[in-house]
Amino acid sequence: MMEGPWIILYFCCFCQLCVAQTVRPQIANPKFATNNPTLSTVALEKPFCVFDDLMSKGASYEVYLYVTVVSARSSRPYVTDNSNKPLNATFQQTNGGQSGSYRAAVFNVPNCASLPKLSDAADATKAPAVLTQYLIRVGDDTACLYDPNYLGACNPPLSADTAYRFKYVLVDQTTGVVKDQTLWSNPIKTRKLKQSSTIDTWPGRRSGGMIVITSILSVLLFVLLIGFLAAILLAAAMTSEEIPTETRYVSQTTQQAIPRPQETIELET
């Protein structure tokens, strides 16, 4: 009779230990992160309510994020050593995840009791804090590779048109060992850089029929413009021909009104 409760307790504990190992990192909700993935970044949801049941009171925990390229030698490489401690492989050591997984980020365990609200993301004053609380952007650090004094987890830009996998690992900072970890995520591919010759520069992306109609209207408009200009030039030419005739008539009338000086001299003599 006493074995029943213990069996149930063991079963519950076992289920709690398996929770994180059946969870995969997910790409962020598009309502929180638009334009995701980009050419060099991928925004992921942080692991809310994934590790809470496994954390002991009084201990300090952190979450490590590991990244690997799908086409690496092992699509699901190890993230721990033989003593169950997390690997500290860097971006440079793994050739950007080509030869294994590298640690891209370290952050505190998300608070399951304080989940982010979509309504707060619409508020410009609350949006930055909500996004920081809700997601982790892989490939967001452009300076760590070139800083010789940088000692933290380096999170440099990802490669374009490349598929990656991601994993969350719960680390007990007191003992330095891995407490639990999620599964590797499904492949998430960064965007491909478009060639300039393939970019559609037509604003409305019209159909073939619309393009023909627009061309015809453009030709008609050009013909009307030429006709209008010809009419203006013809009117200007006709006006210029009439002006000299009026000038000659006025000058003849003026000359007839001038008296002759010779008649005045004959009267005085």
Side-chain angles (χ1 to χ4, degrees):
M1 295 296 295
M2 294 297 294
E3 294 179 356
W6 284 106
I7 294 176
I8 295 175
L9 179 61
Y10 285 139
F11 178 77
C12 293
C13 293
F14 177 76
C15 290
Q16 289 181 351
L17 291 173
C18 293
V19 168
Q21 297 179 4
T22 59
V23 175
R24 301 176 186 270
Q26 301 291 328
I27 193 168
N29 189 320
K31 295 181 179 179
F32 282 96
T34 58
N35 190 30
N36 181 42
T38 66
L39 292 173
S40 58
T41 63
V42 174
L44 301 173
E45 294 180 358
K46 286 186 176 180
F48 281 90
C49 306
V50 174
F51 301 118
D52 294 61
D53 295 334
L54 304 174
M55 296 187 298
S56 303
K57 293 182 178 180
S60 178
Y61 296 91
E62 286 182 327
V63 177
Y64 289 7
L65 170 63
Y66 286 89
V67 182
T68 187
V69 176
V70 172
S71 60
R73 289 183 300 179
S74 175
S75 60
R76 293 175 177 83
Y78 295 105
V79 295
T80 60
D81 57 18
N82 295 331
S83 59
N84 201 33
K85 291 187 176 181
L87 297 177
N88 294 324
T90 64
F91 181 90
Q92 298 93 324
Q93 292 171 345
T94 61
N95 193 21
Q98 294 286 347
S99 60
S101 62
Y102 67 92
R103 189 179 64 175
V106 178
F107 55 91
N108 295 327
V109 180
N111 187 0
C112 183
S114 179
L115 299 176
K117 297 180 181 179
L118 182 60
S119 58
D120 292 339
D123 188 343
T125 60
K126 298 180 180 180
V130 171
L131 295 179
T132 301
Q133 177 190 11
Y134 168 71
L135 59 83
I136 177 72
R137 190 176 295 276
V138 188
D140 199 31
D141 191 345
T142 59
C144 62
L145 286 178
Y146 310 102
D147 186 358
N149 299 320
Y150 191 86
L151 301 177
C154 189
N155 184 21
L158 304 175
S159 300
D161 194 26
T162 305
Y164 290 88
R165 292 183 186 271
F166 308 93
K167 177 191 280 284
Y168 290 128
V169 176
L170 181 67
V171 179
D172 186 343
Q173 295 301 296
T174 305
T175 60
V177 299
V178 173
K179 186 74 172 181
D180 202 1
Q181 56 185 286
T182 66
L183 298 174
W184 283 101
S185 70
N186 294 322
I188 301 176
K189 194 173 185 179
T190 53
R191 292 190 178 184
K192 183 178 180 180
L193 180 64
K194 290 185 178 181
Q195 299 294 330
S196 58
S197 59
T198 62
I199 298 176
D200 185 5
T201 58
W202 185 258
R205 296 186 177 182
R206 310 296 185 189
S207 62
M210 290 296 294
I211 293 175
V212 172
I213 294 174
T214 304
S215 301
I216 294 174
L217 293 176
S218 299
V219 172
L220 291 176
L221 179 62
F222 178 75
V223 172
L224 290 174
L225 181 60
I226 294 297
F228 180 71
L229 292 176
I232 294 176
L233 293 176
L234 180 60
M238 294 177 63
T239 303
S240 62
E241 291 178 356
E242 295 176 355
I243 293 175
T245 303
E246 295 178 358
T247 303
R248 288 194 298 270
Y249 177 78
V250 172
S251 62
Q252 291 175 358
T253 305
T254 305
Q255 291 176 359
Q256 294 176 0
I258 300 174
R260 297 179 180 180
Q262 294 179 356
E263 295 179 356
T264 306
I265 298 172
E266 293 177 356
L267 291 175
E268 292 178 356
T269 57

